[in-house]
Amino acid sequence: MKLIYNGKFVSRIIEGCNGISVMILFAAFVFAFSVKIKRTIIYIVLGCLIIYVLNIIRIAMIAYALFYYPKYNELLHGTIFLYLFTVWFFYCGFYG
């Protein structure tokens, strides 16, 4: 999918960027360690919703940054957002 902002091509969103694989992985982990089915379904639905919203925010932030700073494409997408995700992942692991 092409992402166009103010008539200018900014980026494209491919299968790995849409968050579906992360949602499937999350649901599998929750299901694997579940005890009660009702609580499991609630956690999976709410978790997938949160992942979806955070992914939309992530894509919007990357698109905004790439619109104004296109020459930093690799730095913005490949380094900064990967670093932020890694910090968030470890924060959730220690304090979640």
Side-chain angles (χ1 to χ4, degrees):
M1 178 172 109
K2 290 183 180 179
L3 187 59
I4 298 173
Y5 181 71
N6 283 343
K8 179 183 172 187
F9 173 78
V10 177
S11 185
R12 64 187 174 95
I13 301 172
I14 60 172
E15 178 63 34
C17 298
N18 62 13
I20 292 175
S21 58
V22 176
M23 289 182 222
I24 292 170
L25 184 64
F26 171 78
F29 274 111
V30 172
F31 187 72
F33 298 103
S34 67
V35 176
K36 296 181 179 179
I37 192 71
K38 184 177 179 182
R39 183 179 289 178
T40 301
I41 292 171
I42 291 171
Y43 283 163
I44 289 173
V45 170
L46 289 177
C48 287
L49 182 64
I50 290 169
I51 291 170
Y52 179 76
V53 169
L54 290 175
N55 195 50
I56 295 293
I57 292 169
R58 180 187 71 88
I59 290 171
M61 288 172 51
I62 290 174
Y64 178 82
L66 288 175
F67 181 77
Y68 290 105
Y69 307 103
K71 64 182 178 182
Y72 298 114
N73 179 13
E74 186 58 37
L75 178 68
L76 290 169
H77 183 265
T79 306
I80 292 175
F81 283 97
L82 179 62
Y83 173 76
L84 291 175
F85 175 77
T86 305
V87 169
W88 171 78
F89 178 78
F90 283 112
Y91 175 81
C92 289
F94 288 123
Y95 300 108

